[in-house]
Amino acid sequence: MNNRVDNVYNSITKKEVIKIFLIGGLIGVVFFLMCYGWQILDVTNDGWLLSGEDISQHYIGWKFYRASAWHFPIGQIDGILYPDTSCIVFSDSIPLFAIFFKLISPILPETFQYFGIWGFVSYILVGGLSALIIRKSTEKISLCVLGSGIFCLSPYIFHRMYVHTALAGHWILIAAIAIWIYKPYFSGFWKKLWAWGSLLVIASLVHIYFIPMVMIFMFGFCFQDLIENHGWKEDLAFAPITVAADLCVLYIVGAFGKSGDFLDDGLGKYSANLNSLFNSNNRCSLFKMLPLMEITQDEGFGYLGAGILLLLGCGLGIWIVHILRQKKKENFRIKHAFSISVWIVLALSFILAWSPTITWGQNILLEIPYPEFVMKKLAIFRASGRFIWCAGYIIMTFCIMTVCKYMKQSVACICMVAAFVLQRADMQKMIAYKELQTHRESQFQIMQSDMWEVLSRGKKHLVILPWSTVKGKFGDVVSYEVGNFAVNHGMTINFFPLARTDMEAISENDGEYIRALKAGEDCSEYMYILGTREKGQELGLDVYKIDGCYVGIKNHR
C-alpha cells in the first residue's frame, strides 16, 4: 500500500500535504479545547497541576530544574536529591520542553507551566499527522477529517494526558507510521537518516519508552527494504548512526548519570492482558471492564474504543475479500512486502506487550523463559504493556485506511461517521474526567501553619530525616507538597519521588546528615522534617510539631 503509485498517490503535492496537515491540526485544536478547556493554556495557572497525582511530580520536577544552575550534562537537577543530582528525564517533565523553556527562563513569568501547551501541541500533531496518513488512501477531505477526529479520540491519549503527561505524546508513534506510510518520500540514505534520526531524538527527549517504540517501526521500514531487495544496504548504515546519535543526545541530557538507574523490577507485573484491546477497564461508556491478573496491568491499557472496533470488523472483512479476489501472481513476496512487514511489527508489538507473563483475564497462560541477559534488557522498560500502543495504532491505521480506500466513498463516509459517533459516545467518561481534572484547584492542604514560613527563613536546605518519613507517613501527595514548598522557598531537598532513584545513595546521605549534626558542624542553614521528636532532640535540634510533622532546626532564636 505504501509504495503503490495511483491517482491518490499522484495527487499528493507539497501544497496538499500542508493543507491536509493544517486541516487535521485544526481538528486537533477543536478536540483539545472541547475536552480539556482553554484555561490550562494560561502558563501562570498551575493550581490544576498541584493535585498530588503524578502530574505534580512532573511540574515540581520542572520547577527544580528551572531553579538549578546550568550543568553538563544539561538536564541535571542539583537541588531535588541534594547533595546528589538527578536528571529531568527521571521526573518525566518532558525534557524537550523543559530544556527549551529553561533557556528562555529569564523572560518567563515567575510562575510558568508548559503542560497545557504540551497537550495543545500534541493534539495538533495527532490531528495533522493522522490526516496525512489517511490522505494516502483517499482524496476525499471529509474522510480525512473524520479519520483525524477518530485518532484524536484515541483512548490511549486520554488515558495518559495529564496523568503520565509525557507518555501522552502519541503523535510520535503516529509520525513513525506516517514516515513508513510515505516511504517513497523518504528513500535514500540522507532522507532516512534525517527522518528516523530526528524522530528518535525527539522521542528520547519526550520519554524514554518512545525510543524502542519508534525503533520497532523503523525496523519494519528497514525490513520492507530487505524484502524488496532495495535500499537495505543504506539501512545498514543509517540505522546504527541513528541509534548512536540518540545515545549521544541521552548522554548530553544526563540520562546516564549516577543518580538514576535504568534497570527496575516489576517486569511481568506491568504487561498487557490478552483481553486488553477490548477491555475498557471501566474507563469508557459502552464496554464493561473485564478481569485483569493484577491492577498493575492497567499499564497495558490497550482498549481501542467502540468506533475503532466497528471499523476493525469492516476492515477485516474488506481485507479478506480483497485477498480472496486477488489472482496468484509472481513476486508475491515483493508485492506484499509492506503487508508482511506490518504483520511482523504487529506480532513483535504484541509479544513485547504481553510478555514475559502472558495472561488471559485472571489466568496465567504462559511464562516465557527469556535468558537472563534478555530479561535485564527488558527490565529497562518494565512496563512492557505500553507496547500495546504500537499494535493499537497499527490497527487504527489499517482499519481507517482500508475502509477509505476500498469502500465506495458514500459507504465509507457512512461507516466513518458511525464509527466517529460510537467512539465519541464511548469516550464520554474519559472526557468528563479530563474536564474535571483540568478545572480543579490545588489539593496541597497539609502545610497550613504560618510556622512553616517562620522556621524556613534563612534556610537553604530542607532535609527529611530519615528520607522515608514523609512518604511513609503521608504518601506521595504530601511528598510532592513538601517538595513544592522547598522549591518555592529556594531550598534544596534530600528526597523527592522520582523514577529510577538510587535509594541506597539516598540512605547513605541520611547517615551523613546525622554524622554532621552529632559532630556539631554548622547546620544553621538546614531545616529538618523528622520521624520522631525524640530523634530530633537526640541530635540537638529544636523540635516543633507543625501540621502533624516534627520539624527541627539548629539553634533557632
Side-chain angles (χ1 to χ4, degrees):
M1 181 183 288
N2 62 342
N3 275 336
R4 186 173 298 151
V5 177
D6 53 20
N7 292 333
V8 175
Y9 178 93
N10 290 327
S11 68
I12 304 176
T13 63
K14 287 185 179 180
K15 288 184 178 179
E16 181 73 4
V17 167
I18 294 172
K19 182 181 78 172
I20 293 299
F21 181 84
L22 290 176
I23 291 172
L26 182 60
I27 297 299
V29 169
V30 171
F31 273 89
F32 177 84
L33 294 177
M34 288 178 59
C35 298
Y36 300 92
W38 60 268
Q39 74 286 340
I40 61 175
L41 295 175
D42 177 359
V43 296
T44 62
N45 172 19
D46 68 349
W48 63 283
L49 296 169
L50 302 176
S51 62
E53 297 177 356
D54 287 338
I55 187 66
S56 299
Q57 177 202 62
H58 311 158
Y59 174 53
I60 297 167
W62 147 247
K63 291 172 72 172
F64 270 106
Y65 179 60
R66 183 185 182 186
S68 297
W70 281 106
H71 300 278
F72 185 86
I74 63 173
Q76 278 191 354
I77 310 175
D78 59 15
I80 203 167
L81 295 176
Y82 187 81
D84 296 328
T85 61
S86 186
C87 177
I88 194 67
V89 169
F90 299 116
S91 65
D92 289 348
S93 302
I94 316 171
L96 182 68
F97 274 38
I99 294 169
F100 171 76
F101 285 113
K102 182 171 180 173
L103 284 169
I104 61 172
S105 180
I107 65 172
L108 299 177
E110 182 179 354
T111 298
F112 180 86
Q113 60 86 12
Y114 50 73
F115 295 93
I117 298 172
W118 164 253
F120 185 72
V121 171
S122 293
Y123 269 84
I124 290 174
L125 292 171
V126 167
L129 291 168
S130 61
L132 283 176
I133 290 172
I134 299 161
R135 178 63 179 83
K136 194 71 162 50
S137 62
T138 180
E139 295 182 70
K140 197 167 182 64
I141 302 298
S142 59
L143 291 176
C144 294
V145 169
L146 287 166
S148 178
I150 293 172
F151 267 94
C152 288
L153 286 169
S154 165
Y156 306 161
I157 301 175
F158 280 90
H159 181 216
R160 295 295 177 172
M161 187 63 78
Y162 303 131
V163 179
H164 295 141
T165 309
L167 286 172
H170 288 191
W171 55 270
I172 293 171
L173 306 181
I174 297 170
I177 294 173
I179 293 172
W180 196 2
I181 291 292
Y182 281 86
K183 193 172 186 292
Y185 296 90
F186 297 100
S187 61
F189 173 81
W190 291 109
K191 287 184 178 179
K192 292 177 183 178
L193 182 63
W194 174 84
W196 289 110
S198 299
L199 187 60
L200 199 58
V201 166
I202 290 170
S204 66
L205 292 175
V206 172
H207 199 287
I208 61 170
Y209 269 84
F210 287 128
I211 298 173
M213 295 180 190
V214 170
M215 292 179 71
I216 287 173
F217 289 111
M218 187 172 75
F219 168 77
F221 182 100
C222 296
F223 191 78
Q224 182 180 346
D225 282 343
L226 181 63
I227 295 175
E228 294 171 342
N229 197 27
H230 176 73
W232 63 270
K233 293 181 180 179
E234 298 167 354
D235 299 343
L236 292 176
F238 100 81
I241 293 173
T242 297
V243 174
D246 187 54
L247 290 174
C248 288
V249 169
L250 287 171
Y251 172 76
I252 291 169
V253 172
F256 304 123
K258 65 177 182 178
S259 62
D261 187 354
F262 278 106
L263 295 179
D264 210 342
D265 57 6
L267 182 65
K269 291 175 61 178
Y270 301 96
S271 62
N273 203 286
L274 288 179
N275 64 27
S276 60
L277 292 179
F278 42 89
N279 184 356
S280 72
N281 209 9
N282 206 31
R283 285 193 170 87
C284 297
S285 303
L286 302 182
F287 279 71
K288 293 182 179 180
M289 179 178 178
L290 298 175
L292 297 173
M293 187 67 194
E294 297 186 64
I295 192 171
T296 51
Q297 286 194 316
D298 187 55
E299 283 294 334
F301 178 73
Y303 180 61
L304 292 167
I308 293 293
L309 289 173
L310 171 66
L311 290 178
L312 178 59
C314 296
L316 285 174
I318 294 167
W319 181 74
I320 291 170
V321 170
H322 179 69
I323 292 295
L324 292 176
R325 285 181 176 177
Q326 280 189 334
K327 296 180 180 179
K328 291 184 179 180
K329 296 181 180 180
E330 295 181 1
N331 299 323
F332 176 88
R333 176 176 58 85
I334 295 177
K335 180 178 176 61
H336 295 281
F338 175 65
S339 297
I340 293 170
S341 302
V342 169
W343 277 108
I344 289 173
V345 168
L346 187 65
L348 180 60
S349 301
F350 277 131
I351 290 170
L352 288 171
W354 290 335
S355 65
T357 305
I358 299 178
T359 59
W360 172 265
Q362 295 180 323
N363 301 306
I364 296 177
L365 303 182
L366 179 66
E367 291 271 6
I368 300 178
Y370 289 122
E372 185 178 352
F373 77 93
V374 174
M375 291 293 283
K376 285 184 177 180
K377 298 301 181 185
L378 292 176
I380 298 174
F381 305 100
R382 64 168 185 167
S384 58
R386 295 171 182 174
F387 287 96
I388 199 71
W389 302 336
C390 298
Y393 283 114
I394 289 173
I395 292 170
M396 290 183 199
T397 303
F398 162 78
C399 295
I400 295 173
M401 291 189 73
T402 301
V403 167
C404 291
K405 186 170 185 65
Y406 294 108
M407 278 187 169
K408 291 182 179 180
Q409 285 191 350
S410 57
V411 179
C413 280
I414 293 171
C415 286
M416 292 288 284
V417 168
F420 175 81
V421 171
L422 265 179
Q423 192 81 357
R424 174 61 183 82
D426 200 19
M427 292 296 297
Q428 179 55 39
K429 283 177 69 174
M430 293 188 86
I431 292 172
Y433 175 72
K434 291 301 173 183
E435 185 177 6
L436 176 66
Q437 187 182 35
T438 55
H439 284 75
R440 59 189 173 189
E441 296 298 325
S442 172
Q443 301 299 303
F444 289 174
Q445 299 176 351
I446 293 293
M447 304 175 76
Q448 297 294 314
S449 173
D450 292 338
M451 283 298 294
W452 290 104
E453 297 290 337
V454 173
L455 296 181
S456 65
R457 288 172 189 161
K459 306 303 180 187
K460 295 182 179 180
H461 310 285
L462 177 58
V463 176
I464 303 170
L465 195 63
W467 66 265
S468 58
T469 298
V470 174
K471 184 178 174 68
K473 184 175 182 179
F474 299 103
D476 282 343
V477 176
V478 180
S479 294
Y480 296 148
E481 184 172 356
V482 171
N484 192 57
F485 177 86
V487 72
N488 285 348
H489 290 77
M491 291 191 288
T492 67
I493 193 168
N494 66 317
F495 172 75
F496 184 79
L498 298 172
R500 317 290 175 102
T501 301
D502 185 349
M503 304 313 302
E504 185 175 334
I506 301 292
S507 297
E508 289 176 359
N509 291 337
D510 278 1
E512 285 299 311
Y513 288 123
I514 292 172
R515 184 202 60 77
L517 285 167
K518 287 184 175 180
E521 295 180 11
D522 183 9
C523 298
S524 59
E525 294 182 340
Y526 287 76
M527 177 178 178
Y528 301 85
I529 297 180
L530 305 156
T532 64
R533 181 187 296 275
E534 290 73 21
K535 184 64 176 178
Q537 292 172 341
E538 177 188 328
L539 294 171
L541 297 173
D542 298 333
V543 181
Y544 305 80
K545 188 171 185 181
I546 310 172
D547 296 326
C549 300
Y550 292 106
V551 181
I553 59 173
K554 189 72 171 178
N555 298 324
H556 180 69
R557 295 289 182 267

